[in-house]
């Protein structure tokens, strides 16, 4: 009998040990799942962006006027951004009401299916007006999917993170942007080396069709992650928000400031990574393959700068890193654009790379900064709305406005540099306002210890 009890105790201890080990592995697994998932989402999104810059104009919007063709192509690119707030609201509601994980499984599937379908579309020459119409519909679905992905991925990693490491873990969702860009540029770089006729007829489709393989990998990894501990705690305590959007809109000043803080992290990336492809190839007549090769090296730089910036921010303060990055961003376009105009692979890589240091450093830590502004019960909806409304305006319109400036002023570049500096300045102002607000809240909270934890704001600007 004693032996039986001993065996039972041993088994119980073993099960408890295994359970603790499994729970201990969850933060890393959640960070990996967020990284892989956002990599797939952004690979799909950037693939469309790259195709919009070099393929979709002549294939889906043919015409004699280069500007109108480019604007039509970038217009469909912008449509995906305008759909992102809808995705943020839809999947934010699901994430705040039903769980972060469930929402993320849906966004991943929707994005991959939409992207593969784009790779199967007929062109305007094959199907007439139905071709661009279908392209617009699929771009809308892409926008809805990515609109729900970002907030959930940041929360899945951040809310699983060990104490004191939330900024670093949340940054893994941001890394997906850089790695997705790398994969997209690799795919299109390889495809663009085909003879032009082959590339324009079928080569451009391959990067889109490859998304089905990425979906299978991402789905398996994401399925292995538990639900967010903070969501489970809210569910257990019956603290789930009945109407997350209504509660979020009550914090409208904070929401507007969060939107402004996100502007540079989004607009800067789409200026450098998307518009610069068009500017270099269409307005400076640089070799397409050389430009894509330069962008690949820049994307690799972006990945490592993001990782390093998150580590630095965790140790020395998120607001401080954001401030330094934004100040550098105000200056850098006056260096970047003249270097790109020199037209060599080295000058293009250096010019865009200098801007990328600011952009990727800022983008890496803005998620942790903004996330901590809102209570956990509305956090998915709030950060998704802030990020995706900003994405619709700053991301969707930046290539369009920059193209109009290039058409008007090229080969001059000062107007484009001022445009870039203006959105960096806006974000700098918002970050400093939010940082002062959080410092004031922390000072007030010293007389009421634990009040921020009770409000659900367990990781934010001041906490980092």
């Amino acid at each position: 009998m004693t032996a039986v009890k001993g065996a039972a105790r041993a088994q119980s201890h073993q099960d408890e040990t295994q359970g603790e080990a499994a729970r201990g592995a969850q933060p890393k697994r959640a960070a990996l799942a967020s990284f892989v998932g956002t990599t797939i989402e952004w690979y799909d999104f950037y693939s469309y962006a790259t195709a919009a810059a070099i393929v979709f104009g002549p294939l889906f919007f043919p015409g004699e006027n280069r500007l109108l063709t480019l604007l039509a192509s970038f217009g469909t690119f912008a449509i995906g951004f305008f759909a992102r707030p809808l995705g943020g609201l839809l999947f934010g509601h699901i994430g705040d009401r039903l769980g972060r994980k469930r929402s993320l499984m849906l966004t991943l599937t929707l994005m991959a299916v939409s992207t593969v379908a784009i790779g199967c579309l007929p062109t305007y020459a094959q199907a007439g007006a139905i071709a661009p119409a279908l392209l617009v519909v699929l771009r809308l679905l892409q926008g809805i999917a990515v609109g729900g992905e970002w907030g959930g991925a940041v929360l899945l990693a951040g809310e699983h993170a060990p104490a004191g490491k939330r900024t670093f873990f949340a940054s893994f969702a941001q890394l997906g942007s850089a790695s997705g860009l790398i994969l997209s540029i690799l795919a299109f770089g390889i495809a663009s080396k085909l003879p032009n006729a082959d590339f324009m007829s079928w080569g451009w489709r391959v990067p889109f069709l490859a998304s089905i393989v990425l979906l299978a990998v991402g789905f398996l990894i994401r399925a292995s992650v538990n639900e967010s501990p903070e969501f489970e705690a809210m569910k257990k305590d019956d603290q789930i928000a009945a109407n997350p959007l209504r509660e979020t809109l009550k914090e409208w000043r904070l929401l507007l400031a969060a939107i402004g803080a996100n502007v540079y992290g989004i607009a800067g990336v789409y200026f450098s990574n998307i518009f610069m492809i068009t500017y270099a190839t269409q307005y400076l007549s640089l070799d397409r393959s050389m430009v894509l090769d330069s962008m690949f090296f820049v994307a690799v730089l972006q990945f490592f700068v993001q990782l390093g910036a998150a580590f630095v921010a965790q140790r020395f303060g998120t607001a401080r890193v954001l401030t330094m990055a934004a100040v550098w961003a105000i200056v850098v376009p006056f260096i970047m654009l003249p270097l790109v105009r020199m037209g060599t692979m080295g000058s293009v890589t250096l010019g865009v790379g200098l801007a990328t240091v600011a952009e990727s450093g800022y983008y890496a830590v803005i998620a942790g900064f903004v996330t901590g502004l809102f209570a956990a019960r509305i956090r998915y909806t709030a950060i998704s709305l802030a990020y995706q409304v900003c994405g619709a305006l700053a991301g969707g319109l930046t290539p369009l406005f920059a193209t109009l400036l290039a058409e008007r002023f090229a080969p001059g570049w000062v107007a484009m540099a001022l445009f870039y500096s203006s959105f960096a300045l806006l974000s700098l102002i918002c970050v400093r306002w939010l940082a002062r607000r959080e410092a004031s809240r922390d000072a007030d909270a010293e007389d009421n210890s634990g009040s921020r934890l009770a409000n659900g704001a367990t990781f934010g600007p001041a906490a980092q």
Side-chain angles (χ1 to χ4, degrees):
M1 187 69 177
T2 304
V4 172
K5 289 182 179 179
R9 283 196 299 269
Q11 182 63 45
S12 176
H13 177 73
Q14 181 179 355
D15 292 343
E16 183 178 345
T17 301
Q18 290 175 346
E20 290 177 356
R23 287 191 295 272
Q26 280 294 308
K28 294 179 181 178
R29 194 176 296 171
L32 176 63
S34 293
F35 168 65
V36 172
T38 52
T39 294
I40 296 167
E41 295 270 352
W42 287 112
Y43 167 81
D44 293 343
F45 211 72
Y46 281 129
S47 291
Y48 189 100
T50 304
I54 61 179
V55 173
F56 286 159
L59 291 184
F60 289 90
F61 306 96
E64 297 297 325
N65 189 308
R66 178 185 65 177
L67 176 62
L68 292 180
T69 294
L70 280 174
L71 290 179
S73 181
F74 277 136
T76 64
F77 177 64
I79 285 171
F81 279 91
F82 295 136
R84 284 169 60 172
L86 176 60
L89 290 175
L90 173 62
F91 291 107
H93 184 84
I94 294 172
D96 280 329
R97 294 279 298 159
L98 303 177
R100 300 9 177 163
K101 179 178 176 179
R102 184 176 300 183
S103 181
L104 287 171
M105 299 299 279
L106 292 172
T107 63
L108 186 63
T109 303
L110 179 60
M111 175 60 92
V113 170
S114 303
T115 302
V116 171
I118 289 174
C120 299
L121 280 180
T123 64
Y124 187 91
Q126 295 168 327
I130 190 66
L134 289 173
L135 183 65
V136 168
V137 170
L138 292 173
R139 180 58 176 171
L140 283 170
L141 294 177
Q142 274 197 329
I144 290 171
V146 83
E149 168 69 21
W150 180 84
V154 167
L155 294 185
L156 190 68
E159 292 180 350
H160 269 288
K165 296 185 177 180
R166 291 182 184 268
T167 298
F168 185 71
F169 274 73
S171 74
F172 277 82
Q174 303 292 73
L175 283 175
S177 175
S179 55
L181 177 61
I182 291 170
L183 291 178
S184 175
I185 290 175
L186 272 176
F188 271 92
I190 294 171
S192 70
K193 296 185 187 302
L194 291 167
N196 194 61
D198 290 337
F199 176 74
M200 297 300 287
S201 65
W202 60 268
W204 68 270
R205 300 178 183 274
V206 176
F208 291 96
L209 298 177
S211 185
I212 194 65
V213 178
L214 297 177
L215 169 63
V217 175
F219 201 88
L220 289 173
I221 294 175
R222 191 161 275 182
S224 69
V225 181
N226 295 337
E227 181 53 82
S228 156
E230 289 192 43
F231 180 83
E232 292 288 7
M234 288 191 300
K235 186 176 179 181
K236 182 179 179 181
D237 296 338
D238 197 24
Q239 294 295 314
I240 302 298
N243 192 325
L245 176 60
R246 182 182 300 168
E247 291 190 34
T248 298
L249 293 178
K250 291 179 181 178
E251 301 277 359
W252 63 271
R253 291 183 182 85
L254 186 58
L255 184 64
L256 287 176
I259 291 171
N262 271 300
V263 166
Y264 176 64
I266 296 173
V269 169
Y270 283 96
F271 186 99
S272 295
N273 292 344
I274 304 305
F275 166 70
M276 290 307 296
I277 296 175
T278 296
Y279 178 66
T281 58
Q282 303 290 328
Y283 291 94
L284 301 181
S285 300
L286 302 183
D287 179 69
R288 181 180 64 201
S289 216
M290 181 273 286
V291 172
L292 288 175
D293 286 344
S294 295
M295 290 299 178
F296 170 74
F297 289 117
V298 169
V300 173
L301 172 66
Q302 179 181 340
F303 181 90
F304 287 105
V305 171
Q306 281 188 215
L307 194 60
F311 179 78
V312 171
Q314 189 71 65
R315 296 197 60 181
F316 300 106
T318 304
R320 187 173 299 166
V321 171
L322 290 173
T323 298
M324 290 189 296
V327 169
W328 172 236
I330 294 171
V331 177
V332 79
F334 297 93
I335 303 171
M336 169 178 63
L337 289 165
L339 283 170
V340 171
R341 282 193 62 199
M342 290 174 63
T344 67
M345 183 170 177
S347 67
V348 172
T349 303
L350 177 60
V352 181
L354 289 172
T356 295
V357 171
E359 294 160 6
S360 54
Y362 190 96
Y363 185 75
V365 298
I366 191 62
F369 182 84
V370 172
T371 299
L373 301 173
F374 300 97
R377 57 190 279 111
I378 62 169
R379 189 174 288 153
Y380 200 145
T381 298
I383 67 170
S384 294
L385 190 60
Y387 185 83
Q388 304 307 344
V389 168
C390 179
L393 299 174
L397 297 179
T398 292
L400 282 171
F401 285 155
T403 298
L404 289 172
L405 290 173
E407 187 72 18
R408 172 67 179 83
F409 295 106
W413 53 267
V414 174
M416 289 178 285
L418 290 172
F419 175 55
Y420 186 104
S421 295
S422 66
F423 50 71
L425 178 61
L426 172 61
S427 287
L428 176 62
I429 292 170
C430 291
V431 164
R432 295 315 308 164
W433 183 83
L434 287 168
R436 286 194 297 270
R437 176 185 179 276
E438 289 301 296
S440 176
R441 286 180 61 194
D442 283 352
D444 293 340
E446 287 181 1
D447 297 329
N448 187 14
S449 179
S451 63
R452 293 195 68 201
L453 291 176
N455 191 42
T458 56
F459 59 108
Q464 296 159 32

